Amino acid sequence: MPSAAFQPPQHGLTPTMRDVLDRMRRAGRPPLHTMSVDAAREAYRLGAEILDLPRVALARVEDLLVPARDGHLLPARLYAPSGARLPVLLYLHGGGFTIGGLDTHDSLCRQLALQGGAAVLSLDYRLAPEHRFPAAVDDAWDALQWLAREGGARLGLDATRLAVGGDSAGGTLSAVCALMARDADLPLALQLLFYPGTAARQDSDSHRRFAEGVLLARPLIDWFFGHYIATEHRDDWRFAPLLAPDHGDVAPAWIGLAECDPLVDEGVAYGDVLRAAGVPVQLELWRGVVHDFIKMGRAVPEARQAHAAAAQALREAFSP
C-alpha cells in the first residue's frame, strides 16, 4: 500500500477507542512521564492486563535464561502450543526501552504462539536508564544469535525457521536485528513489526498531529528517549533503522500500524524504504486506534484483528 493512502485521520478515534481513553482519564492516574522509573515500571506492569486478553493456557510455558555477550543471563519466557519441533519467533517487548517486561506482554505472546502455531521466546532485555543505548540492541542480537546457533536446538525447536518481532521499541529492535542478521548471513523468515519507531527525530506530521491526547504523547516519548539515548547517538541506525545505509536483502516484513499514533508515519516510511530495496512488505493499518492498541483485546476489536493478522503472517512465513 503506497504512502499516499495514509492521510491524516478524517474520522478520528473509533467510539470504542475513545471510550477506553476516556475511562483511563477518569481513573485519574498520573502520567508515566511524571513518575520515577521504578514507579512507572510498576504502574505499567499493574495496568498491563486490565485491557489485555486473559492469558490462554498453552502446552509449554517455560522461564529460562539466555546468555548475553558480557556473561549476564537474560530472563526469557518460552511459549509453545505443543511439544512439537516448532519454528520460533524471538519477541521483543515495547515500553520505550525503559519499561515493560515478560509479564506486561505475556498475554500477547500467548496469542501469537497459539494462533501462529509457533514457539515464541519473549526476551527481558536490559532497560534504560540503568542500561543505555546500545545495551538493548546488544541483548536482542545476542538472543537471536543464541536461538539460531544453539538455543533453538536445546529447546527442541526448529531454529532453521526463525523470525524476530516486537512492538514499539521492540519493533525498532526487531528491525535492527533483521539488518544485523542479513549482515551476519543469519536467515530469518520474517520481521514482525508492530508500530515500530524507525526515525532519528520525532518531527513527522503524525508526531505533530498526535502530540497529546493519546497514550504515547510527546512528553512520554521525550521521557523514554531521555533515559535511553544521548543526543549525539540519535543518528545511529541501531536507534533509527530508517538511516541504515542499505535495506536490501533483509527478511520479509509484516508491519502493523495504528492510525492515531505518533509513530504511524515512521512505520509507513520504513515499509516504503524496504519495498524500494526489493524487500517483500505486508503493511496493515488499523483505523481509529492508538499506539499500544494490540494490548487492549478485552475492549478493542482491532487488537484481536491484529493478533490474527500477525499470526497469519507467521504461519505463512514458516510454512515449509
Side-chain angles (χ1 to χ4, degrees), residues 99-110:
I99 61 176
L102 300 182
D103 290 337
T104 60
H105 286 65
D106 187 89
S107 174
L108 173 61
C109 289
R110 288 170 185 261

Side-chain angles (χ1 to χ4, degrees), residues 74-96:
L74 302 166
R77 186 171 296 159
L78 176 69
Y79 306 86
S82 75
R85 186 171 177 265
L86 298 170
V88 58
L89 166 72
L90 174 66
Y91 195 84
L92 306 167
H93 68 79

Side-chain angles (χ1 to χ4, degrees), residues 137-294:
V137 175
D138 292 343
D139 285 352
W141 176 233
D142 290 351
L144 189 64
Q145 292 181 94
W146 176 81
L147 262 181
R149 294 174 180 172
E150 57 178 295
R154 286 188 187 180
L155 295 170
L157 304 173
D158 181 5
T160 66
R161 293 185 290 164
L162 178 62
V164 64
D167 60 295
S168 194
T172 305
L173 294 172
S174 299
V176 170
C177 280
L179 289 160
M180 298 174 81
R182 175 204 59 195
D183 294 342
D185 294 322
L186 192 165
L188 295 179
L190 187 70
Q191 49 179 318
L192 185 83
L193 312 178
F194 285 111
Y195 33 75
T198 64
R201 302 289 183 273
Q202 288 62 59
D203 55 4
S204 68
D205 185 49
S206 62
H207 275 282
R208 290 187 289 271
R209 292 200 312 274
F210 304 113
E212 57 185 25
V214 294
L215 293 183
L216 188 66
R218 185 181 299 277
L220 183 56
I221 296 174
D222 292 342
W223 187 82
F224 282 148
F225 292 165
H227 287 305
Y228 177 59
I229 190 164
T231 301
E232 59 266 26
H233 296 315
R234 285 283 189 112
D235 293 320
D236 191 313
W237 66 264
R238 294 172 299 169
F239 171 71
L242 266 173
L243 299 182
D246 177 16
H247 293 87
D249 299 319
V250 298
W254 180 91
I255 304 174
L257 304 177
E259 181 186 28
C260 303
D261 180 358
L263 302 188
V264 66
D265 288 352
E266 298 176 36
V268 172
Y270 202 63
D272 288 347
V273 164
L274 292 178
R275 284 195 194 95
V279 177
V281 175
Q282 180 182 356
L283 193 151
E284 301 197 35
L285 176 78
W286 278 270
R287 299 281 183 182
V289 295
V290 302
H291 194 85
D292 218 30
F293 81 98
I294 60 167

